[in-house]
């Protein structure tokens, strides 16, 4: 990432002795004044939301243990001053208005939750619940759309396909997350443009003229629209998008004056930082000296590079909204791949470092960092403690075993509340216990509550 | 509990519709000023630490879903203004000074961590690490002992045996947690009083003259000391303890003027609030209409009753320290018993409500509420998603399935960071990411950092 050169030290192991083990002699100063000075009730000018798909407390701890040692701290992710717990449940289809609760959610209703402030059903993209998966619900306006309507610039970037559920929910509305390209609309027939609908997710993202769109998913944009040309052609011709293919293209774009940008850096999902290490039945894979190996990502940019560029492009006097997703934490957890998930969580931390550096110069920026739902990864006491296990040597030099046990092969989401963290104006609204739908109002800026401290 | 009558409403289900689902139309006011007004940098006069053994984010969410519905909020546990994430790792025996890391810890090093500010090895009670489990480490002074030395009153209560690891670490020092009574010292021969040692955990707790001791574990106190009489006789004769047998005895004691109190309300662990519902191999136990059933607890007081009494006895001008543990969350999770664990988490919430009510009248009280380590419980998407599963009907009226997968039978700790929450002076020190050893300095009162806001 852009910060990698400067942040190498952040990923060095901490020393572990009896006296300074972790933070045993840890922080000594009372944090009261420091926290009070961070509280600002003003409405933020810029909002940056960084999502780690599937990033729960267990996955954060596993990645920290591996990258920094148990007593280490992520320079970005672990440094945000406001922290809380966030519930992520969703609904099940029904006749309403009292829909059954889904205690474990997928990435569509969770992203729809913070994007629209309302709960919905699995697979649903910023539309309300309904009687069945293939029955569209009511479209709910998103934070991104409200920022755009307010004359601010907006960005939406990810390491998965750009049309995957999390980025989709920021700026499109459709009954099923599978309906990513114009040829993928079997479950969303009324959404077809030829049927008078808003089109697939790929089409809606560009019809919304999101100023910066970046991620994988070129294959969705290569699909033919109902009108004939590909979505890519349509985006360029109708909306003036400039298409970026690789990190060289990305480096070359320096302003939005010549039109919005559409970065499509991989046919499908982008390549994670690390090669996979897939957990297997006990005694599992890996061992006391196993470490994660960097993957060859060819000409793909990484998340922190995309994030830095997105901010550089979006930064303007009126303000901006950016959603940036480290998507492959979840995808690799689904594959019981501990190294893949760890690497993408580290990438998220690097992206957080980038946005914190921007915030230093632009203190009217609200940063929120969280996941969308809990996942399957557990840190366990031994190599027989789960259905699939893997062991790695951490930065401490010691073995850590993780388990995936929701299936015999592969793995799935779980329902625990997850960590939410924030920095900047109105960041205090993530403290305590919140629901992910509460992020909606916070990102829009609640009515300032007054003058909380001497700094305001 | 004492608060049960008044708090029944807190355990009613919330209404779930598309529009008000959870907190979808949730909190609207900016919390900045409210949070700022809670920040106080002064040293607390009283400190109350409430521990849920094994209480991680997954278990909190499962209990909330069951008791209140997914959009509900615990009136105590979920209402504390300062929240953060806490790491819980420990050490493994070795030659030192760089001990190997244990990424999953038991209740002894974790409780020793906050009690002494230092890391230690599994099974170790407020002593440092060493070359082997049966080799004693250096005794580390505890928060409770420092409060006592400072002329304050001190209390230590639990729903497990009083000599179990968590209460033991508050006020005793021994190389192995199993050494609970004078007849249990096989692994701690040098601790024998006849060998010049400090004695078993049971003996040390009373030798420390902790003003209020309450829990189960009568069988440990009925053991003969090396000198002949039982620990119970010794406690009464040498230290003037008044022994309480049941909730009637508890109600009858109204001050410490006639000596310290030793409540021993069960031979072993106390009875959890709910009868067990033990998870089994898929498709598991319970179902869409299964609810938890109250257990017959005979004449045993519950945790909130013990907590209220402890505070009433300890409250004095100079201040006090109280550690109160809901211990059976962990024990029932070890038994893959979802109802047992849920009930004891609810009990913890009732105890938190009691101490918050006390704090309202005594704002110089710091309250910290947290767990000691993560555990095995996962909320999963279906009845095949784990080694052992159980399904319950929640307060929403919908089914929730939980899984235990670290073993085929029973269950064990995991290594995720856990939630920590606080209210009162210096409570801001739990925000962000902390280690449990950081609680040590916070409970002792860090040097105040100045004047954070208009209220100070
Ligand atoms: Mg995603
Ligand atoms: Mg305990
Ligand atoms: Zn997701
Ligand atoms: Zn997923
Ligand atoms: Zn424990
Ligand atoms: Zn345990």
């Amino acid at each position: 990432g852009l910060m990698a050169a400067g942040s190498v030290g952040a990923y060095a192991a901490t020393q572990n002795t009896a006296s300074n083990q972790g933070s045993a002699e840890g922080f000594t100063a009372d944090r009261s004044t420091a926290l009070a000075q961070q509280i600002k009730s003003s409405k933020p000018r810029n909002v940056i939301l960084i999502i780690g798909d599937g990033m729960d407390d267990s996955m954060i701890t596993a990645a920290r243990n591996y990258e920094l040692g148990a007593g280490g701290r992520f320079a970005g992710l672990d440094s945000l001053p406001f922290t809380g717990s966030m519930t992520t449940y969703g609904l099940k289809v029904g006749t309403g208005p009292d829909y059954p609760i889904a205690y474990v959610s997928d990435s569509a209703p969770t992203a729809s939750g913070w994007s629209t402030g309302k709960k919905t059903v699995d697979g649903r993209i910023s539309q309300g619940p309904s009687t069945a998966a293939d029955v569209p619900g009511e479209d709910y306006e998103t934070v991104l759309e409200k920022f755009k309507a307010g004359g601010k610039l907006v960005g939406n970037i990810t390491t998965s396909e750009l049309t995957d559920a999390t980025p989709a929910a920021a700026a499109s509305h459709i009954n099923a997350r599978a309906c990513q390209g114009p040829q993928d609309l079997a479950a969303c027939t009324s959404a077809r443009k030829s049927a008078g609908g808003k089109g697939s997710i790929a089409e809606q993202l560009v019809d919304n003229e999101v100023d910066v769109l970046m991620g994988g998913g070129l294959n969705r944009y290569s699909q033919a629209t109902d009108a004939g040309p590909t979505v890519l052609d349509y985006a360029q011709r109708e909306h003036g998008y400039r298409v970026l293919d690789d990190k060289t293209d990305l480096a070359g774009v320096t302003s939005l004056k010549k039109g919005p940008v559409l970065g499509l850096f991989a046919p499908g999902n982008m390549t994670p930082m690390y090669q996979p290490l897939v957990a297997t039945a006990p005694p599992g894979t890996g061992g006391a000296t196993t470490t994660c190996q960097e993957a060859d990502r060819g000409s793909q940019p990484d998340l922190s590079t995309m994030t830095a560029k997105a901010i550089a492009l979006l930064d303007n006097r009126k303000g901006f909204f950016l959603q940036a997703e480290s998507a492959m934490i979840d995808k690799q957890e689904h594959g019981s791949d501990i190294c893949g998930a760890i690497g993408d969580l580290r990438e998220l931390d690097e992206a957080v470092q980038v946005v914190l550096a921007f915030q230093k110069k632009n203190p009217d920026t609200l940063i929120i960092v969280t996941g969308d739902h809990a996942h399957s990864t557990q840190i366990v006491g031994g190599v027989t403690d789960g259905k699939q296990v893997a062991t790695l040597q951490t930065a401490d030099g010691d073995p850590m075993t993780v388990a995936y046990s929701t299936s015999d092969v592969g793995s799935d989401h779980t329902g625990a509340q997850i960590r939410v963290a924030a920095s900047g104006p109105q960041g205090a609204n993530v403290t305590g216990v919140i629901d992910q739908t509460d992020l909606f109002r916070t990102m829009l800026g609640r009515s300032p509550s007054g003058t909380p401290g001497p700094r305001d």
Side-chain angles (χ1 to χ4, degrees), chain A:
Chain A
L2 279 191
M3 296 293 290
S7 67
V8 164
Y11 295 96
T14 50
Q15 176 69 8
N16 295 292
T17 64
S19 59
N20 76 348
Q21 205 90 36
S23 46
E25 299 297 324
F27 73 94
T28 52
D30 169 41
R31 292 179 175 176
S32 300
T33 302
L35 187 69
Q37 288 177 341
Q38 298 269 2
I39 298 176
K40 290 181 206 138
S41 73
S42 52
K43 286 201 188 193
R45 182 172 59 103
N46 307 312
V47 173
I48 303 173
L49 174 64
I50 298 194
I51 296 293
D53 199 310
M55 185 176 74
D56 62 11
D57 289 88
S58 194
M59 192 60 231
I60 291 170
T61 313
R64 185 193 297 116
N65 289 345
Y66 178 76
E67 294 286 351
L68 302 160
R73 291 291 179 266
F74 283 114
L77 177 62
D78 289 343
S79 74
L80 296 144
F82 303 111
T83 49
S85 299
M86 188 173 85
T87 54
T88 72
Y89 64 95
L91 306 181
K92 292 180 177 174
V93 293
T95 51
D98 194 352
Y99 295 90
I101 300 291
Y103 295 103
V104 180
S105 288
D106 83 15
S107 304
T110 49
S112 298
W114 69 69
S115 295
T116 72
K118 296 187 177 71
K119 294 287 185 189
T120 192
V121 298
D122 267 7
R124 191 68 39 102
I125 303 292
S126 292
Q127 276 189 349
S130 65
T131 52
D134 60 356
V135 174
E138 178 191 351
D139 285 0
Y140 294 151
E141 192 178 11
T142 69
V143 169
L144 185 150
E145 290 166 337
K146 286 178 183 282
F147 268 74
K148 175 116 187 145
K152 297 193 170 199
L153 296 180
V154 292
N156 189 13
I157 69 180
T158 181
T159 53
S160 68
E161 293 183 279
L162 188 54
T163 50
D164 202 14
T166 315
S172 68
H173 310 270
I174 203 157
N175 60 287
R177 58 179 288 180
C179 301
Q180 297 187 54
Q183 303 304 316
D184 304 320
L185 292 173
C188 309
T189 49
S190 65
R192 296 207 80 96
K193 287 206 173 184
S194 56
K198 291 182 173 178
S200 64
I201 293 166
E203 293 163 280
Q204 290 192 45
L205 291 176
V206 297
D207 280 341
N208 251 330
E209 295 191 340
V210 178
D211 301 284
V212 174
L213 289 168
M214 294 180 196
L218 177 61
N219 286 349
R220 308 292 181 176
Y221 281 86
S222 305
Q223 292 180 15
T225 60
D226 287 357
T230 64
V231 189
L232 208 53
D233 287 340
Y234 169 79
Q236 292 171 288
R237 228 174 304 169
E238 293 298 315
H239 297 296
Y241 271 98
R242 289 171 297 157
V243 177
L244 314 176
D245 287 338
D246 56 24
K247 58 185 177 189
T248 308
D249 280 6
L250 183 65
V253 62
T254 55
S255 99
L256 293 174
K257 280 185 191 133
K258 294 182 183 165
V261 298
L262 175 58
L264 293 165
F265 303 116
N269 295 323
M270 294 175 71
T271 306
M273 175 185 281
Y274 292 137
Q275 296 173 34
L277 181 74
V278 176
T280 56
T285 192
T289 59
T290 303
T291 55
C292 298
Q293 302 301 310
E294 283 212 31
D296 177 1
R297 299 202 274 182
S299 61
Q300 296 179 18
D302 61 15
L303 181 66
S304 56
T305 305
M306 290 195 287
T307 302
K309 178 62 71 173
I311 291 174
L313 295 174
L314 294 170
D315 187 21
N316 78 101
R317 192 182 48 78
K318 294 185 77 174
F320 67 86
F321 170 79
L322 172 65
Q323 176 176 300
E325 184 198 19
S326 189
M328 304 303 289
I329 303 169
D330 168 86
K331 305 283 185 205
Q332 303 317 112
E333 286 185 285
H334 280 295
S336 306
D337 165 15
I338 183 61
C339 279
I342 286 174
D344 276 43
L345 202 145
R346 173 175 163 166
E347 272 217 42
L348 176 138
D349 176 57
E350 292 175 354
V352 176
Q353 292 178 50
V354 166
V355 304
L356 286 171
F358 173 80
Q359 191 192 45
K360 273 207 177 138
K361 294 178 188 162
N362 299 272
D364 50 1
T365 302
L366 169 64
I367 296 168
I368 298 176
V369 182
T370 188
D372 57 348
H373 49 72
H375 216 294
S376 46
T377 311
Q378 292 183 304
I379 302 165
V380 295
V383 296
T384 61
D385 291 5
K387 288 188 175 180
Q388 307 159 54
V389 293
T391 300
L392 280 172
Q393 182 181 46
T394 70
D396 295 312
D398 300 315
M400 169 180 73
T401 299
V402 297
Y404 300 87
S405 299
T406 59
S407 311
D408 292 326
V409 176
S411 199
D412 214 340
H413 303 178
T414 57
Q417 62 190 20
I418 57 177
R419 178 177 189 259
V420 56
S423 173
Q426 304 216 342
N429 292 306
V430 307
T431 59
V433 182
I434 67 169
D435 184 74
Q436 59 196 171
T437 54
D438 291 321
L439 296 181
F440 174 76
R441 282 180 193 267
T442 299
M443 291 191 288
L444 292 176
R446 297 165 190 271
S447 295
S449 55
T451 303
R455 284 291 188 90
D456 268 50

